[in-house]
Amino acid sequence: DADVTQTPRNRITKTGKRIMLECSQTKGHDRMYWYRQDPGLGLRLIYYSFDVKDINKGEISDGYSVSRQAQAKFSLSLESAIPNQTALYFCATSEGGRSYEQYFGPGTRLTVT
Amino acid sequence: GDSVTQMEGPVTLSEEAFLTINCTYTATGYPSLFWYVQYPGEGLQLLLKATKADDKGSNKGFEATYRKETTSFHLEKGSVQVSDSAVYFCALSGALLGRRALTFGSGTRLQVQP
């Protein structure tokens, strides 16, 4: 079984709808991240969490919110989806301390029409 | 701020050809450097890393050397295979969020033809 899972894998939604993307991990890591990937732009950090009580904004947090329900679960919400939020979304985890390696989920392809 | 610049793709090679994907960076201090690979339909996987100047990371026949004097971390492989077709991302762990997050390049798509 995959260490980092994301649901759904694909989603099409309409402008103005609320949508939640979910991430679960079995690696036992404290740190979790949400990125979005756009063609030609690489990955950009949306939000990150270093433990259940710690939530922080990344580079591009406007229009998004997150919830860390447990050490293993980190959800990303789009309160009112807009077309320019169409992208590939990745969840990632990492250990604490001086380890900077991140482990990625398979991604969620979101299309906002 | 920190940034990573990669050569644009796609890079198209024949099987057994030599591969170089250029990566240069801008960062304060001494970042750690990474290459991640994304196979079709999958998430990113760490390919190799280097944490200090002159370190060489290697894995699966790929190599990259941390060159502080040229702020570069170019990815090389002596003989590519069709199975190496993927998107490759150079990344650094630098000043962003106090080294607790990664700054990625835009990715380079590699296509290897039989």
Side-chain angles (χ1 to χ4, degrees):
Chain A
D1 288 341
D3 294 319
V4 184
T5 57
Q6 293 183 233
T7 56
R9 293 294 310 277
N10 290 282
R11 181 72 183 267
I12 300 173
T13 192
K14 294 184 183 298
T15 297
K17 294 291 188 182
R18 183 179 188 276
I19 184 168
M20 179 181 288
L21 310 182
E22 299 186 343
C23 175
S24 295
Q25 54 114 347
T26 58
K27 298 190 74 65
H29 290 167
D30 286 327
R31 299 179 180 183
M32 299 187 73
Y33 309 79
W34 276 104
Y35 292 91
R36 68 176 275 175
Q37 181 182 18
D38 297 281
L41 293 178
L43 278 72
R44 293 180 291 168
L45 183 66
I46 306 172
Y47 269 95
Y48 66 100
S49 169
F50 283 3
D51 64 42
V52 174
K53 297 181 180 179
D54 177 74
I55 302 289
N56 301 280
K57 293 182 177 181
E59 304 169 77
I60 54 165
S61 58
D62 287 349
Y64 302 94
S65 62
V66 291
S67 173
R68 185 81 183 265
Q69 299 95 325
Q71 187 205 34
K73 296 184 182 296
F74 192 37
S75 300
L76 176 72
S77 293
L78 287 67
E79 297 301 326
S80 179
I82 55 177
N84 75 2
Q85 292 177 313
T86 293
L88 191 54
Y89 290 85
F90 287 104
C91 175
T93 74
S94 70
E95 294 180 307
R98 295 181 61 81
S99 174
Y100 309 119
E101 179 178 348
Q102 295 189 7
Y103 298 83
F104 285 79
T108 294
R109 185 168 297 281
L110 176 66
T111 303
V112 183
T113 62
Chain B
D2 295 347
S3 66
V4 177
T5 301
Q6 292 181 233
M7 62 188 291
E8 292 189 14
V11 174
T12 303
L13 296 173
S14 298
E15 208 164 20
E16 299 184 1
F18 184 85
L19 168 71
T20 299
I21 300 178
N22 291 336
C23 170
T24 57
Y25 68 89
T26 301
T28 56
Y30 302 92
S32 296
L33 301 175
F34 306 84
W35 277 101
Y36 279 81
V37 58
Q38 183 181 26
Y39 297 105
E42 299 183 11
L44 281 70
Q45 305 172 23
L46 180 66
L47 180 60
L48 53 84
K49 66 181 179 183
T51 58
K52 61 182 186 296
D54 300 325
D55 268 1
K56 177 184 284 187
S58 62
N59 185 27
K60 300 181 181 180
F62 291 90
E63 294 183 339
T65 301
Y66 187 165
R67 301 288 189 197
K68 187 166 177 60
E69 64 275 15
T70 56
T71 61
S72 65
F73 193 54
H74 304 322
L75 182 68
E76 297 181 336
K77 187 175 185 182
S79 176
V80 294
Q81 305 300 312
V82 172
S83 58
D84 294 326
S85 297
V87 181
Y88 293 82
F89 292 91
C90 185
L92 67 83
S93 175
L96 180 64
L97 305 177
R99 295 172 63 87
R100 294 174 294 179
L102 297 177
T103 298
F104 286 88
S106 57
T108 301
R109 182 177 299 279
L110 171 65
Q111 299 173 335
V112 181
Q113 299 175 337

